[in-house]
Amino acid sequence: MPFVDVCGRRIEYERIEVAPTGRPTLVFLHEGLGSLAMWREFPGRVAHATGCNALVYSRYGYGNSEALHGDRTVRYMHDEALVALPALLDLLAVHWPILVGHSDGGSIALIHAGGTQRPVAGLVLMAPHVMVEEVSVTSIAAAKVAYETTDLPARLARYHADADSTFWGWNRIWLDPAFRDWNIEAYLPAIACPVLAIQGEDDEYGTMEQLRRIGRGVRDAELVALADCRHSPHKDQPEAVLDAITRFVDRITSRSTA
């Protein structure tokens, strides 16, 4: 994969080119333990289904991007959304993105759209967080035990150059008592673009209250609840998610050409 220097950090990325210029670019923002490679074939499927080019990357501390130095802070998603992501989009000349975010990536998309004045065509959010719930903390505490007692480190090492720093950077900040007050609902009313928010009804990291709050706070939000679906809707219900995203992108692009 090629690399680009973003805010002094070496970041891996991939472009998927399927369409002429003029349509929005899908920008994929992975989950808290995700990476470019962990999306697997999903970005390509979405790009071809929607006729939009795509940009996929691993954030600082993930995948083959530069390894994390030190601990993350409570504002780590804010730093990504307000500083690193704008810098990346400028460097790679992405001017009208549809941000496709999973979990942490969905939260980053919300902060970016509500906290900057940059043009955003739309947001696709899968299992996003707007506040911390007890179920999230309980599951993240269980992940700590799994990392210490199972083969989870070896499995994560397939996708991250430094799996230890990736895991502990995510796990420690979410379990830090200071993180309990993390909340990004104040950004929601400023989001001007359409939003598609998808939540699994069996999500082990969040409840449907996350979507309800997005629905109350965002002026143009389509909310989709999926049965028999846990924290990764694009893996548990790929066809339903692909269909919802395709219809959503069609709605955005038809508005822009009307």
Side-chain angles (χ1 to χ4, degrees):
M1 297 299 172
F3 291 84
V4 65
D5 185 285
V6 179
C7 302
R9 309 294 188 187
R10 190 168 181 259
I11 300 299
E12 69 167 344
Y13 72 96
E14 177 185 15
R15 287 188 184 271
I16 302 171
E17 305 283 354
V18 302
T21 57
R23 291 177 65 79
T25 298
L26 304 162
V27 178
F28 286 80
L29 307 171
H30 59 72
E31 63 181 303
L33 288 178
S35 68
L36 187 162
M38 288 181 72
W39 283 109
R40 299 182 183 175
E41 75 283 354
F42 183 70
R45 291 193 68 194
V46 178
H48 284 280
T50 60
C52 293
N53 295 329
L55 169 66
V56 193
Y57 74 104
S58 296
R59 297 191 295 274
Y60 164 54
Y62 295 94
N64 290 312
S65 291
E66 185 169 336
L68 183 66
H69 307 299
D71 295 329
R72 294 198 182 276
T73 73
V74 172
R75 288 187 58 83
Y76 79 97
M77 285 184 269
H78 290 72
D79 293 341
E80 182 68 29
L82 304 177
V83 180
L85 180 56
L88 176 74
L89 296 177
D90 286 345
L91 284 166
L92 299 180
V94 176
H95 305 299
W96 193 43
I98 295 175
L99 303 179
V100 183
H102 175 213
S103 191
D104 277 17
S107 304
I108 290 165
L110 287 167
I111 298 168
H112 179 87
T116 72
Q117 301 298 314
R118 300 173 64 90
V120 178
L123 304 182
V124 175
L125 314 172
M126 296 178 290
H129 304 284
V130 296
M131 45 79 178
V132 177
E133 296 181 279
E134 192 59 38
V135 66
S136 308
V137 176
T138 299
S139 292
I140 291 169
K144 177 180 184 291
V145 175
Y147 197 80
E148 294 172 330
T149 61
T150 72
D151 67 342
L152 180 56
R155 288 187 280 123
L156 285 179
R158 300 172 192 165
Y159 301 102
H160 302 284
D162 187 342
D164 279 350
S165 68
T166 296
F167 179 83
W168 292 116
W170 165 79
N171 191 264
R172 284 174 178 150
I173 190 57
W174 271 88
L175 296 182
D176 190 319
F179 201 75
R180 293 298 185 99
D181 294 329
W182 179 90
N183 186 301
I184 61 169
E185 290 178 83
Y187 289 93
L188 302 183
I191 296 174
C193 65
V195 173
L196 169 65
I198 303 171
Q199 181 84 16
E201 293 179 350
D202 307 309
D203 191 338
E204 66 273 35
Y205 286 95
T207 71
M208 298 304 297
E209 181 63 19
Q210 304 284 351
L211 255 62
R212 285 191 284 269
R213 295 195 183 199
I214 291 171
R216 290 195 295 266
V218 175
R219 69 192 72 174
D220 183 358
E222 176 186 353
L223 309 180
V224 176
L226 294 177
D228 192 25
C229 181
R230 288 165 62 85
H231 189 58
S232 298
H234 60 297
K235 296 178 181 177
D236 292 345
Q237 295 287 353
E239 300 308 321
V241 170
L242 186 64
D243 180 65
I245 295 175
T246 302
R247 288 186 284 103
F248 178 72
V249 173
D250 284 346
R251 177 161 70 93
I252 291 173
T253 55
S254 64
R255 281 182 181 181
S256 66
T257 58

